[in-house]
Amino acid sequence: MHTKKIIYSGTPLKQASRALIMVHGRGGSAEDILTLAPMLAVGDYALLAPQATGNTWYPHSFLMPQEDNEPWLSAAIEVLASTVQEIVDAGITHDRIYFTGFSQGACLTLEFAARHAVRYGGIAAFTGGLIGDHVHRSNYTGDFAQTPVFIGSSDPDMHVPVKRVRETETVYADLHADIHIKIYPNMGHTISGDEINIVNEKIFGKV
């Protein structure tokens, strides 16, 4: 089961006015996802990268029934909830909290945020969608109040079908996110320079 283990970087949390939670993918690590930070316009942010036990947030595909990924999925969501609370306790409001994640980390980020929709600073999901064999619309409540959200993905992608990205877009729009989707033909399961440019412009505010 997951226990909360955070790798901190960037501006110390007590001194920062904004914070970015960075969620690694399956088989990755907190240290891995932090290597993305120098490419993002987050130079003065506190960076918090949680680490999954065994480098995996949940054991099966995100398209399996949610109960098949329990109790790991709930424990992973609780890690993100606790990380958000730690940031709030340090004096940073939700509208100055940002998220990014890749692959399994992007799925977990999108699932957590949709279950706890408030005005965040922004969400950048590199290849991901809501978790489950179908979209559990009743799980998602709150109001993003125009939180900027970007999801980039490939068509095709070996793990994340475009159909689920579009279903996620619909849920986020219903929860009043300012959502942007870009599907790249045959990009592969990776993060592209174009995606970095988009999130720096639309999410992190660098033009």
Side-chain angles (χ1 to χ4, degrees):
M1 196 68 66
H2 302 297
T3 56
K4 185 181 174 187
K5 178 184 177 183
I6 304 290
I7 304 298
Y8 299 88
S9 188
T11 301
L13 187 56
K14 290 288 187 182
Q15 300 173 20
S17 60
R18 300 175 187 270
L20 171 62
I21 300 172
M22 306 184 73
V23 188
H24 69 77
R26 183 191 298 273
S29 69
E31 288 86 355
D32 291 341
I33 194 73
L34 280 168
T35 64
L36 184 63
M39 290 178 274
L40 304 176
V42 295
D44 59 345
Y45 288 42
L47 307 177
L48 295 88
Q51 174 64 52
T53 298
N55 303 96
T56 299
W57 292 109
Y58 42 84
H60 305 297
S61 164
F62 84 112
L63 297 173
M64 296 291 286
Q66 290 188 352
E67 54 268 29
D68 288 4
N69 277 314
E70 294 293 4
W72 295 96
L73 175 58
S74 291
I77 288 173
E78 181 54 35
V79 167
L80 292 194
S82 177
T83 304
V84 168
Q85 189 60 52
E86 179 181 342
I87 295 169
V88 171
D89 290 345
I92 298 175
T93 53
H94 286 86
D95 63 332
R96 290 176 175 267
I97 298 175
Y98 297 74
F99 300 85
T100 191
F102 172 62
S103 191
Q104 190 182 61
C107 296
L108 179 62
T109 295
L110 291 166
E111 182 71 20
F112 168 81
R115 294 188 187 195
H116 305 82
V118 297
R119 181 56 164 92
Y120 295 110
I123 300 167
F126 300 108
T127 310
L130 293 169
I131 295 172
D133 56 332
H134 64 279
V135 171
H136 297 262
R137 184 63 183 83
S138 61
N139 286 347
Y140 309 126
T141 59
D143 191 328
F144 279 118
Q146 295 304 302
T147 296
V149 179
F150 173 78
I151 306 175
S153 194
S154 175
D155 183 17
D157 179 87
M158 66 179 76
H159 300 295
V160 181
V162 171
K163 179 175 183 289
R164 179 55 56 91
V165 175
R166 292 300 184 190
E167 291 170 337
T168 301
E169 178 184 23
T170 298
V171 171
Y172 268 68
D174 289 346
L175 297 173
H176 306 136
D178 179 17
I179 187 161
H180 304 271
I181 303 286
K182 189 164 184 178
I183 305 298
Y184 298 83
N186 300 305
M187 179 176 71
H189 199 69
T190 187
I191 299 173
S192 70
D194 187 67
E195 290 176 289
I196 296 295
N197 291 335
I198 289 172
V199 300
N200 279 335
E201 177 183 352
K202 295 186 178 299
I203 306 295
F204 302 117
K206 179 181 178 182
V207 179

